Amino acid sequence: MKHRVVVVGAGFAGLQLVQDLDGAGCEITLIDQRNHHLFQPLLYQVATTLLATSEIAWPIRRILRRRRDVTTLLATVTGIDRAAREVVLGDGGRVPFDTLVVATGARHAYFGHDGWEADAPGLKTLEDATTIRRRLLLAFERAELARDPAERAAQLTFAVIGAGPTGVELAGIIAELAHRILPGEFRRIDTRKARILLIEAGPRILPAFIPSLSAYAARALERRGVEVRTGVPVTDVGREGIVLGEQPLPARTVIWAAGVQASPAAGWLGAKADRAGRVIVGDQLALPDDPQIFVLGDTAHVENDGQPVPGVAPAAKQQGKHAARQIRARLQGKPPPGPFRYRHMGNLATIGRNAAVIDFGRFQMKGRLAWWVWGLAHIYFLIGARSRLMVSLSWLWSFLSGQNSARLITQKETLRERP
Amino acid sequence: MKHRVVVVGAGFAGLQLVQDLDGAGCEITLIDQRNHHLFQPLLYQVATTLLATSEIAWPIRRILRRRRDVTTLLATVTGIDRAAREVVLGDGGRVPFDTLVVATGARHAYFGHDGWEADAPGLKTLEDATTIRRRLLLAFERAELARDPAERAAQLTFAVIGAGPTGVELAGIIAELAHRILPGEFRRIDTRKARILLIEAGPRILPAFIPSLSAYAARALERRGVEVRTGVPVTDVGREGIVLGEQPLPARTVIWAAGVQASPAAGWLGAKADRAGRVIVGDQLALPDDPQIFVLGDTAHVENDGQPVPGVAPAAKQQGKHAARQIRARLQGKPPPGPFRYRHMGNLATIGRNAAVIDFGRFQMKGRLAWWVWGLAHIYFLIGARSRLMVSLSWLWSFLSGQNSARLITQKETLRERP
C-alpha cells in the first residue's frame, strides 16, 4: 500500500509541498475549505478595485489536474484524531494518514477585541477583499447622498489600523482612489477632501524595514494625502468610528491590518502553541512528539537562531519544500536533511504609483525603480501564463488610463448593511 | 431653471437615454440601486465561469464622468409621488422631476410559485451569476465527497428550466464544463457522467426562432450531452430536485430561465399594467395620462402592429433613443417625433463551442460562422476598449486552452448552504 500523505490547506506551504512530492509515489489527499489557491500578497489590490478576483486565485484542482497521485477535497476540517491517525471532516467523513501536513494559515487577530471585527474587517480571503471593496466604494456613495455635513465627513474618513506592508499598501491605494481616480465622477462631494489615516501603535511604519525606508515611506504617503499617525494606540472600534488614544475619530470605513492569529490547528492537534496560536515545531517542522505530523507556514512557530521565522509567503514556500524533502528521504530510507533554515528574501511594500520600498538586508531600493521591481517580482510569482498576462494588462491599463477596472459593488443588501 | 430629468435605472434603456440627452441642457439625475451598468446578454458566461464579473459591468459614474449635467445616485427607489412630482428614495430623500423616466427592468417570475426561487435561482444580476456559479461548482465538489451513489447522481444532475436563448446558452455551457473542462480534475467521479437537462413546457426550444433553427439547436445540444425535454411542464421545485409532469427528478442544481416579471414600477406609478407587471404605455412610450412620465425597456408594455415589443437589449436601447428625442423636441418647442417603431435586429443564441444560431428574419445562420458572428457582435456592444480587449482575451484563452478562467467559489458558507 502506498504511503498516505494528507495535506490540510492549499496555501503557499501546502501547495509547494504537494508540488515537491511529484513522483515520490505517495497517495496524497489535499483538503481545503476553498476551491482556490489565493495569491495573498496581491489581495489588497482586489480590495481596492485594481484587480479582479479571478486574476489572483486559481482552482486547486486545475493546478494539480495532471497529478494522478493527488485527490483534492473541498471540505472543512473539524478535528484530527491522532490516535486513529485520521483527519475528521465537517460532514463526519474521515481521511486516514500516514503522514499529516497541517498548513491552514492564519486569520487576523484583534488582541482580545473580537467584537471589533464587524466594523474593522481584516484582509485574508477573497470574501474579505470584496467586503472591503464594497465598503470603500459605498462610503463615497453614501457621502454623495448624505445631507448632514458631519455624516458626509465621517463617510469620507478612512482609517487603516496597522502599518506593516498591507496597511501601507491599503492606505496608499485608497489615497489614489480618492485623489486620482474618483474626482470628477461625483457632483456633490469632492473626493479629494477624503481623509485617509494610517494608524500605528508602534513608533514608526513598516517596522520590519530599516528606519530610513520607514521615513521615506511615511513622507511618500503624506505627499499622496495619507495622514500617518504613529505611536498612538486604537483603544476602541465601533460603528461610528474609532478612538485614538482618548480621541474619538468618526470614520465609517475602518480596515484592520494590525495582527494575525493562527488557525485552530494547535487545538486539533493538542499541541503547544505560542501566544499567536502558532504550533511550536522542531527544526524539522514536525511536532516534537510526532515526527509524522508537520505544521507549516503561518500555522507554525519555527525559530532560527532564536528568532521566529516571519509569516510571509517565501517562508511558507521554503517550509513546504523542506517538509517534502523530509518525507522523500524517509520513504527512500535516507538520512533526513539538515534542520530547516529560513533564507530571507527581503521585505517589499508598494506605496502607490511609482513608489515602493524594498529592503534586501544588504541593500535597499526605493521610489520608481523599486516600484517596477516590486511589480515584476509579483508577476513572476503568479501561477500560469494567463494570470501573468491578465494582471500585467490590468496594471498597464491602470497605469496608462488612470483607471481601475474592478470598481464593482457586488453582494446583496449593499445599501442597508451597517446603515 | 433647467429642466430636471430624473432617470430611474441605468440599464440599456436608461443609459441610452442619458447618453442621447448630452448637450440638451437638462439637469439629469440618474438613480440606480447598483453602482454598475451590466451587460446582461453575457451574464450567463459569468454564471458558468467563462468571464469575470468586472469584464461585463462598469461603474455608472465612470461611464458618465464627463457629463457635468448628470448626477448619479446609488439609491433604492421606494415610490413615486406623482402629485408632488418627486421620486422617493429608501433613505427618505426626495428627488424632484419635470420629466421622469422609469426603466427599472425585470426580475425572473415563477408564475405564482415564488417559493421555488431559493432552489431554482434565476439570472438577472451579478449576484445571481455568482450564486449560480457557486452552486454549479459546489455540485461537482459535493459529488466528489458523496459516499451515497444516489446522492452523487443527484449532485451530478443539472436542470435548466426554460429554453429561450438564456436557457439554451446555460445548458450548452454546463455541458462543456462537465464534458470538456472538468474531466481529469476529479478522482472519485467522472464528470462526463453528469446529466444536464434542458426543460421546456412548450413544443420546441428557442420558440422565437424559426423551427429549423430550433431543431438544429436541439440536435447540437444533444450532441454535446444535453438532454432536451420539450412539451413537459415542471410541476414542482424543491431542495431535492424537480417534478417533471408527475415524474420526480432528483437534481441538486436547478436554474430558472423560464419567465420574467417587471419591476414594481406600475405600483409606484399607479399605472395600468399587463399580466407580467409591465406598464402599458402609449406609442410615445409615456403614460397615457401623463406625457412627462416615460416607462422604457423591460418595465414597459409597448405594442407595434398589435404585437408586444420583446424584452431584449436592442429594443430597450431603441426606446431610450426615442424618449430622448421626444424630450429634446419638447424642450426646443418642436413637434414630437413619430410614434415609436421597433426595428428587430434578429435573434441570437450560442449553443457551445463553434455552434450558434442567428435568425435575422430574412435569412438565418447556424454553426461555426454564426458562433463567430455572435462573438464579434457581443464584443462590439461592450463598453470601452478595456472590456473588449479583456473579453476577447478571455474567450481566446478559453478557445485555445480549453479552460475557463473564473472558476471561483466565493461568498461565505459555501459548504453549509443547502446541505
Side-chain angles (χ1 to χ4, degrees), chain B residues 199-374:
Chain B
I199 298 154
E200 168 63 44
R204 60 185 175 100
I205 69 170
L206 296 176
F209 291 65
I210 63 166
S212 66
L213 285 186
S214 294
Y216 165 81
R219 282 195 310 276
L221 283 169
E222 277 165 354
R223 259 203 314 277
R224 283 167 168 76
V226 176
E227 297 174 39
V228 177
R229 299 275 191 94
T230 52
V232 52
V234 171
T235 52
D236 200 12
V237 176
R239 185 172 271 222
E240 304 293 316
I242 60 177
V243 179
L244 273 180
E246 301 193 340
Q247 191 82 41
L249 180 90
R252 296 286 185 274
T253 310
V254 182
I255 306 176
W256 189 260
V260 293
Q261 175 77 22
S263 59
W268 298 342
L269 292 166
K272 256 185 82 180
D274 68 9
R275 280 203 325 167
R278 292 177 299 186
V279 175
I280 294 168
V281 294
D283 61 9
Q284 292 294 356
L285 309 177
L287 292 187
D289 62 344
D290 198 336
Q292 306 292 353
I293 298 184
F294 294 91
V295 185
L296 310 178
D298 287 359
T299 320
H301 177 104
V302 189
E303 294 200 355
N304 265 193
D305 308 326
Q307 286 288 323
V309 171
V312 295
K317 285 187 176 187
Q318 291 172 25
Q319 291 173 34
K321 273 195 174 305
H322 185 86
R325 212 178 299 134
Q326 270 274 80
I327 294 170
R328 278 180 177 273
R330 283 183 198 163
L331 290 176
Q332 297 167 351
K334 291 187 186 164
F340 173 72
R341 297 289 313 167
Y342 169 58
R343 275 185 309 126
H344 185 61
M345 311 293 282
N347 289 316
L348 292 76
T350 46
I351 294 152
R353 209 175 167 79
N354 287 323
V357 285
I358 307 183
D359 188 344
F360 286 115
R362 290 181 193 195
F363 68 101
Q364 287 79 32
M365 293 171 74
K366 59 177 193 256
R368 185 185 302 254
L369 182 63
W371 191 65
W372 285 95
V373 169
W374 177 95

Side-chain angles (χ1 to χ4, degrees), chain A residues 35 61-62 65 67 70 74 127 141 145 185-187 386 393 397 403 405 407 409 411, chain B residues 35 61-62 65 67 70 74 127 141 145 184-187 386 393 397 403 405 407 409 411:
Chain A
N35 83 325
R61 302 192 172 283
R62 174 71 191 156
R65 68 197 177 283
R67 291 288 300 280
V70 180
L74 175 69
E127 288 83 12
E141 297 291 343
L145 284 169
E185 295 192 13
F186 291 82
R187 299 289 172 260
R386 185 190 169 279
L393 281 174
W397 188 270
Q403 260 303 313
S405 49
R407 271 174 43 206
I409 300 175
Q411 300 175 354
Chain B
N35 83 326
R61 300 190 173 289
R62 175 70 191 154
R65 68 196 178 284
R67 292 286 301 279
V70 180
L74 174 69
E127 288 82 14
E141 297 291 343
L145 284 169
E185 296 191 13
F186 291 81
R187 299 291 172 259
R386 184 187 171 280
L393 281 173
W397 188 270
Q403 260 303 311
S405 50
R407 271 174 43 205
I409 299 174
Q411 300 174 357

Side-chain angles (χ1 to χ4, degrees), chain A residues 64-384:
Chain A
L64 298 169
R65 68 197 177 283
R66 292 192 215 289
R67 291 288 300 280
R68 304 302 306 180
D69 56 331
V70 180
T71 300
T72 303
L73 297 181
L74 175 69
T76 309
V77 169
T78 53
I80 291 165
D81 187 337
R82 281 178 66 177
R85 310 308 270 178
E86 287 173 339
V87 172
V88 184
L89 303 185
D91 68 349
R94 285 171 164 256
V95 186
F97 61 83
D98 299 310
T99 294
L100 174 64
V101 180
V102 180
T104 42
R107 286 288 298 169
H108 23 276
Y110 291 85
F111 311 127
H113 299 283
D114 288 350
W116 293 0
E117 181 161 20
D119 296 305
L123 186 60
K124 279 282 174 194
T125 66
L126 280 185
E127 288 83 12
D128 294 339
T130 49
T131 297
I132 289 174
R133 181 175 76 188
R134 185 174 73 249
R135 290 196 186 176
L136 282 177
L137 294 172
L138 276 177
F140 291 102
E141 297 291 343
R142 291 200 180 107
E144 179 88 344
L145 284 169
R147 281 161 288 182
D148 169 25
E151 174 61 21
R152 182 171 295 182
Q155 290 290 0
L156 288 178
T157 304
F158 301 85
V160 178
I161 303 171
T166 301
V168 164
E169 288 169 335
L170 281 168
I173 206 164
I174 295 169
E176 289 202 355
L177 262 182
H179 288 268
R180 211 170 51 76
I181 293 172
L182 296 181
E185 295 192 13
F186 291 82
R187 299 289 172 260
R188 302 172 176 179
I189 57 168
D190 181 352
T191 63
R192 287 166 299 191
K193 298 225 170 100
R195 287 180 72 190
I196 297 106
L197 292 98
L198 177 63
I199 297 153
E200 168 62 43
R204 61 184 174 100
I205 69 169
L206 296 177
F209 291 64
I210 62 166
S212 66
L213 285 186
S214 295
Y216 165 82
R219 280 195 312 274
L221 283 169
E222 277 165 354
R223 258 202 314 275
R224 284 167 167 76
V226 175
E227 297 175 40
V228 177
R229 298 276 190 93
T230 52
V232 50
V234 171
T235 51
D236 199 12
V237 175
R239 185 172 272 224
E240 304 294 315
I242 60 177
V243 179
L244 273 180
E246 301 194 339
Q247 191 81 40
L249 180 91
R252 296 287 185 274
T253 311
V254 182
I255 307 175
W256 189 259
V260 292
Q261 175 77 20
S263 59
W268 298 341
L269 292 166
K272 255 182 81 178
D274 67 8
R275 279 204 324 166
R278 293 177 300 186
V279 174
I280 293 167
V281 294
D283 61 10
Q284 291 293 357
L285 309 177
L287 292 186
D289 60 345
D290 197 335
Q292 307 290 354
I293 298 184
F294 294 90
V295 185
L296 309 179
D298 287 358
T299 320
H301 177 104
V302 190
E303 293 202 356
N304 265 194
D305 308 326
Q307 285 289 324
V309 171
V312 295
K317 285 188 175 186
Q318 291 173 27
Q319 291 173 34
K321 275 197 174 302
H322 185 86
R325 212 178 299 134
Q326 270 274 78
I327 295 169
R328 279 181 176 273
R330 283 183 197 161
L331 289 176
Q332 297 167 349
K334 291 187 184 161
F340 173 72
R341 297 289 312 166
Y342 169 58
R343 276 184 309 126
H344 184 59
M345 311 293 282
N347 289 317
L348 292 77
T350 47
I351 295 153
R353 210 175 164 79
N354 287 322
V357 285
I358 307 183
D359 188 344
F360 286 115
R362 289 177 193 199
F363 68 101
Q364 287 79 30
M365 293 173 72
K366 60 176 193 258
R368 186 185 301 254
L369 182 63
W371 191 64
W372 285 95
V373 170
W374 177 94
L376 291 173
H378 280 75
I379 285 172
Y380 176 80
F381 283 112
L382 291 172
I383 293 182

